[in-house]
Amino acid sequence: MKTTPNRVAALVLVLVTPLVAELAFSTPLRMAWLVLLWLPIYGAGILLVRELVRRAGRGWPSILLLGFAYELVEDGIGLQALSSPHLYHAADWGARVFGLNLPYWELNAIYHVVFSAAIPILLTDLMFPSHRDVPYLKTFGLVVTAIVALLGLGLLRISVPPSQDPGYVAPLWVLVGTVVAVVVVGVIALKVLPRKVANVDRTSVKVPPLPVLWIVGGVAAILALGLLFPFGGATQPSFTRGWWVLAPMVATAAVCVGAYVPIRRWSAAAGWTDRHALALAGGALVGHSLVGSAAAHTTFDQVGLLVVTVVTAALVLLLDSRIRRRATTAEPAENLST
C-alpha cells in the first residue's frame, strides 16, 4: 500500500534538529532566539539529507555519510571555521595543517553526524514509525527544502563570520575542495553503498538491557566530545599543548570506533527494538548536554543546560512510554546496521 507524504513529520524534523544540535549543547537559553537563525540550515539541511537517503532506498550508513557532508558544507563554506585563523579560536586548538583546523574539524564531524543528523532523524522516525522508510515530501517539497537549505547556508555565511571573524574569506582551494568532497561523499552515500534490505536475517547476538544502552550512549558522547572540546580554561582539547593534541584526537577516534562496532552488532540482532535505539540516543543526548554544560561560560548558562538535560531525559522517557504502548503488532525497529 502506498504511503502518503507526511508534512507534519517533516516539520517535526525541521524543528527538532536545531533544538538537539544547538539549544541542547552550545546555544544558551538566554539566546534561544538564535534557533530561528539555525532553522533553515539545520532543519532544511537535515530534512534534505533524510529525503535523499529515503528516495535512494539507502539506510543508516548513508545518513551518517551525508551527515558528514552536511558538516563540510556548514563549517567549510557557511562558517568557514575549518580554515579560519580566528573564528571560535579553533586555530588555537593545535594541529593546524595546511591552514585547516584539524581538531575542530574532527569534533564537528562527529558532532554533526550524530547530533545534527542521526539522532534527530531517528527521533522523528520513532515518532512517525509508519513513515520511517519513505520520504516525507513529494518532489516539489524536496525542491523547496533544497532551496531553503541553500538560503540557510547563505544566511549563516552573512551573519556569523562577518561579526565573529570580520574580513576573512576562505581560500578558493578550501571552498572548491569542500564542494568536491561533498559531491564524492554524496555519490558514495546515495549510489555506492548498498540499498537497505527490508527483511534481513537477524543475528542471535544478545542485546544489552535498556539502562545499559543509556549508559553506553551517555559515556560515548561524554568521551567523544569531552576529549576534543576545550573547557575549564583550556585552549586546546584535554588541556594539551602543541602537537600533543593528536593524543585526544586519536583517543576520540578510538571511542567512536569502539562505540560503532558493538552498536552495529546489537542493532542487527533479533532482540533489537525501537526502545533499544531510543535508549542509546537518550543516553547520548544527556551526555552531550552535560558536556555542553561543563563548557558553558556562565553559571546561568550551565544551569540552563542542566535544565535542558532533565527536560530532554523526560521527553525521551515519554516517547519510550508511547513506543511501549503501541499495538502488540510492533513495527520493525530501524536497523542501524543496514
Side-chain angles (χ1 to χ4, degrees), residues 153-170:
L153 180 64
L155 178 61
L156 191 68
R157 176 67 187 87
I158 65 174
S159 59
V160 178
S163 62
Q164 301 296 319
D165 191 11
Y168 176 75
V169 177

Side-chain angles (χ1 to χ4, degrees), residues 18-27 29 111 114-115 119 214 217-223 225-226 229 231 281-296 301-314 316:
L19 294 179
V20 169
E22 285 290 334
L23 197 62
F25 182 70
S26 59
T27 300
L29 284 179
Y111 188 85
V114 177
F115 296 101
I119 288 183
W214 273 86
V219 170
I222 290 172
L223 288 177
L225 301 179
F229 199 99
F231 60 91
L285 287 170
V286 169
H288 103 296
S289 291
L290 290 177
V291 173
S293 177
D301 293 340
Q302 290 176 335
V303 173
L305 269 173
L306 290 177
V307 171
V308 169
T309 304
V310 173
V311 172
T312 298
V316 170

Side-chain angles (χ1 to χ4, degrees), residues 9-98:
L11 179 60
V12 168
L13 178 57
V14 167
L15 295 175
V16 165
T17 301
L19 294 179
V20 169
E22 285 290 334
L23 197 62
F25 182 70
S26 59
T27 300
L29 284 179
R30 56 188 168 81
M31 300 178 69
W33 59 270
L34 284 174
V35 169
L36 297 176
L37 173 64
W38 310 135
L39 272 175
I41 181 65
Y42 275 105
I46 299 306
L47 176 58
L48 180 63
V49 165
R50 186 199 181 277
E51 293 298 287
L52 291 174
V53 171
R54 291 296 180 254
R55 286 169 178 268
R58 265 62 183 184
W60 281 102
S62 294
I63 288 176
L64 299 182
L65 270 184
L66 287 191
F68 174 64
Y70 170 87
E71 186 276 334
L72 290 174
V73 171
E74 179 180 311
D75 280 315
I77 299 176
L79 294 172
Q80 301 184 130
L82 292 185
S83 56
S84 172
H86 305 295
L87 190 64
Y88 301 150
H89 302 288
D92 299 332
W93 292 18
R96 182 172 164 86
V97 179
F98 300 119

Side-chain angles (χ1 to χ4, degrees), residues 262-281:
I263 290 172
R264 185 180 176 89
R265 293 178 66 246
W266 294 334
S267 63
W272 184 261
T273 68
D274 285 348
R275 296 187 67 199
H276 292 98
L278 181 61
L280 194 64

Side-chain angles (χ1 to χ4, degrees), residues 182-202:
V182 168
V183 171
V184 171
V185 170
V187 170
I188 294 173
L190 300 176
K191 297 294 184 181
V192 177
L193 290 181
R195 289 179 175 272
K196 181 182 176 185
V197 180
N199 295 314
V200 295
D201 294 330
R202 295 299 189 108

